[in-house]
Amino acid sequence: MPAPTPAPSASPVRRRAGRPTAAILDQDGITTAALELISSKGYDGLTMAALARTLGVAPSALYNHVSSKDDVLVLLEDHLAAMVDVSAFGSEPWEEAVRKWAWSYRDVFSEHTPLIPIIAVLPVANAPKTLAMYEAVTAGFRDAGFPEEKIISAIVAIEAFVFGAAYDVTAPADIFDAGTLADQVPNFTAAVDRLALEQHERPTDVAFSLGLEALITGFGALRG
Amino acid sequence: MPAPTPAPSASPVRRRAGRPTAAILDQDGITTAALELISSKGYDGLTMAALARTLGVAPSALYNHVSSKDDVLVLLEDHLAAMVDVSAFGSEPWEEAVRKWAWSYRDVFSEHTPLIPIIAVLPVANAPKTLAMYEAVTAGFRDAGFPEEKIISAIVAIEAFVFGAAYDVTAPADIFDAGTLADQVPNFTAAVDRLALEQHERPTDVAFSLGLEALITGFGALRG
DNA sequence: ACCTGAACACCGTTCAAGT
DNA sequence: ACCTGAACACCGTTCAAGT
């Protein structure tokens, strides 16, 4: 497929072919373009070259605004963190607030699992919106009577569960089909069959709910 | 650094420079060579070219034994699954068996986090040793009186927590240092400070223990 | 059946040269 | 200050040719 024909007059100041969203060559514009690219071509399509093409510049131009592709991923992660719903902290009971936060967090990142290795080890100082999410959640835990020295540990544990569950959402439906090996693993096969039989919701949602409710109950007991 | 000088006579049948482990060009040999490479150079050093060099063959020769690099990662994952300790199921109380399994699982994969995106969505039919692990765990849950239709969901939930926690192990020590933004997130900063003050164990281990015990308690209540 | 060597279609990143 | 164009040092993978 040939490259799209350039706009009639390609001024060096204003670029792009005149489509809905305005794209400016700064960190916000790069983030917007990256999200656009991911939603149309997936993370495999997110290359520095494709990003530059979306923005109408040469690949090397990107390096005036980000220092690496990893830097782009950090911008994306922080953008997504701002979309996680923490609004129930302070307005609803702690249990319900944690529930909404965790489901929202999982749903946002299940569409962006390639960012999980990034966020899981990213210093919060590099991600202000992520930090703002932590602040809201921490305040919610404290106001609910949580002992201060356990708050971070509890958040880290819930986050670990959320990240793992985000991957699980993307698993194929037949992930537990043992195929020709089925008769060698009778207990497993029987349990998988029973799950399929008695389940109405998505298996990944049932597992997430089961684990999350256990964490909420267990952690809730720590409150003063 | 120059490439290592080739062995005196490079026969097409026997290769390698005469080091401890014997490397044969089949799936087991590829797995062994990959593990060797990872432990010396990390996952960045695990390239098809480096793997071939370790085995003394041309990169293209690898494709007679695996169909892709992802295939190599699957072999690695399955090899590691066999190292996870499930021996306590059947010999110790359910709680203790789950505890040992989960800690072992986390410890094994915390050194191999690049495999987590693979295992999380890998059909079990392609990973016999992973399947064997599931069989042992499922049998342990069933024998402990777990309702059969909830066993897979519980295992999936614990696994999600384990995978997320494996990433957390690799996080830098200063991940929660808000730096110049600290005064904008007072609750978070206070909680981080309190954690650092009152904590003796590794923070990642405290969080893992806290979450795991909540899951064990919560799931234990489901048993008949 | 399995290996080699060359080639292909990409990557992310750098940097001198321009404006 | 910021962009272009060319180049670099890689990737994983394919495939005709050999044995």
Side-chain angles (χ1 to χ4, degrees):
Chain A
M1 153 175 60
T5 54
S9 80
S11 127
V13 184
R14 274 288 140 244
R15 38 201 123 53
R16 284 184 5 83
R19 278 296 181 41
T21 52
I24 299 177
L25 193 50
D26 59 9
Q27 294 199 335
D28 274 356
I30 289 172
T31 303
T32 303
L35 285 167
E36 210 175 297
L37 207 49
I38 289 159
S39 80
S40 65
K41 319 247 185 194
Y43 274 86
D44 283 349
L46 180 62
T47 67
M48 295 302 271
L51 199 48
R53 198 159 53 81
T54 301
L55 289 159
V57 295
S60 52
L62 297 173
Y63 291 86
N64 288 305
H65 304 94
V66 293
S67 61
S68 65
K69 184 180 177 180
D70 253 41
D71 203 359
V72 175
L73 298 181
V74 168
L75 292 175
L76 277 172
E77 187 283 316
D78 205 38
H79 177 86
L80 293 171
M83 300 175 58
V84 174
D85 182 13
V86 294
S87 66
F89 285 105
S91 67
E92 298 191 43
W94 177 85
E95 285 87 349
E96 185 59 18
V98 172
R99 195 143 41 219
K100 284 185 173 164
W101 168 57
W103 278 96
S104 163
Y105 203 172
R106 186 202 69 148
D107 287 345
V108 167
F109 279 92
S110 66
E111 308 263 321
H112 297 273
T113 54
L115 297 180
I116 291 176
I118 300 282
I119 182 179
V121 300
L122 179 69
V124 294
N126 299 29
K129 292 170 186 165
T130 307
L131 186 54
M133 177 188 76
Y134 288 134
E135 172 67 6
V137 175
T138 305
F141 274 59
R142 194 210 53 187
D143 293 347
F146 228 83
E148 194 165 36
E149 74 278 7
K150 288 201 166 72
I151 293 180
I152 298 298
S153 298
I155 291 175
V156 167
I158 293 171
E159 253 192 324
F161 179 62
V162 163
F163 293 153
Y167 280 119
D168 189 53
V169 172
T170 70
D174 67 336
I175 189 173
F176 287 133
D177 182 353
T180 59
L181 292 74
D183 50 353
Q184 294 174 41
V185 290
N187 288 286
F188 178 74
T189 301
V192 170
D193 289 348
R194 282 292 295 275
L195 174 75
L197 210 65
E198 313 208 1
Q199 213 46 92
H200 303 90
E201 299 170 82
R202 285 196 305 176
T204 189
D205 290 343
V206 172
F208 186 67
S209 178
L210 196 69
L212 181 59
E213 295 305 320
L215 290 174
I216 289 173
T217 302
F219 292 171
L222 299 174
R223 288 183 294 159
Chain B
M1 153 175 58
T5 54
S9 79
S11 128
V13 183
R14 277 286 140 247
R15 37 203 122 53
R16 282 181 8 82
R19 279 296 181 40
T21 53
I24 298 177
L25 193 49
D26 60 9
Q27 293 199 336
D28 274 357
I30 288 172
T31 304
T32 303
L35 285 167
E36 210 175 296
L37 207 48
I38 289 159
S39 81
S40 66
K41 319 247 185 195
Y43 274 86
D44 283 350
L46 180 62
T47 67
M48 295 302 271
L51 198 48
R53 198 159 54 80
T54 301
L55 289 158
V57 294
S60 51
L62 297 173
Y63 290 87
N64 289 306
H65 304 95
V66 293
S67 61
S68 65
K69 184 180 177 180
D70 252 41
D71 203 358
V72 175
L73 297 182
V74 169
L75 292 174
L76 277 172
E77 187 284 317
D78 205 38
H79 177 87
L80 293 172
M83 299 175 58
V84 175
D85 183 11
V86 294
S87 66
F89 285 106
S91 69
E92 297 190 43
W94 176 84
E95 286 86 349
E96 185 58 19
V98 172
R99 195 144 39 220
K100 284 187 174 165
W101 167 56
W103 278 96
S104 163
Y105 203 171
R106 186 202 69 147
D107 287 343
V108 168
F109 280 91
S110 67
E111 308 264 319
H112 297 272
T113 54
L115 298 179
I116 291 176
I118 300 282
I119 183 179
V121 301
L122 180 68
V124 293
N126 299 37
K129 292 170 187 164
T130 307
L131 186 54
M133 178 188 76
Y134 288 134
E135 172 66 7
V137 175
T138 305
F141 274 58
R142 194 210 54 187
D143 293 346
F146 228 83
E148 195 165 36
E149 74 278 6
K150 288 203 167 72
I151 294 179
I152 299 298
S153 297
I155 291 175
V156 167
I158 294 172
E159 253 192 325
F161 178 62
V162 163
F163 293 153
Y167 280 118
D168 189 53
V169 172
T170 70
D174 67 336
I175 189 171
F176 287 133
D177 182 352
T180 58
L181 292 74
D183 50 352
Q184 293 173 41
V185 289
N187 288 286
F188 178 74
T189 300
V192 169
D193 289 347
R194 281 293 294 274
L195 174 75
L197 210 66
E198 313 209 1
Q199 215 43 94
H200 303 90
E201 300 169 81
R202 284 196 305 176
T204 189
D205 290 343
V206 173
F208 187 67
S209 178
L210 196 69
L212 181 60
E213 296 305 320
L215 290 173
I216 289 174
T217 302
F219 293 171
L222 299 173
R223 288 183 293 158

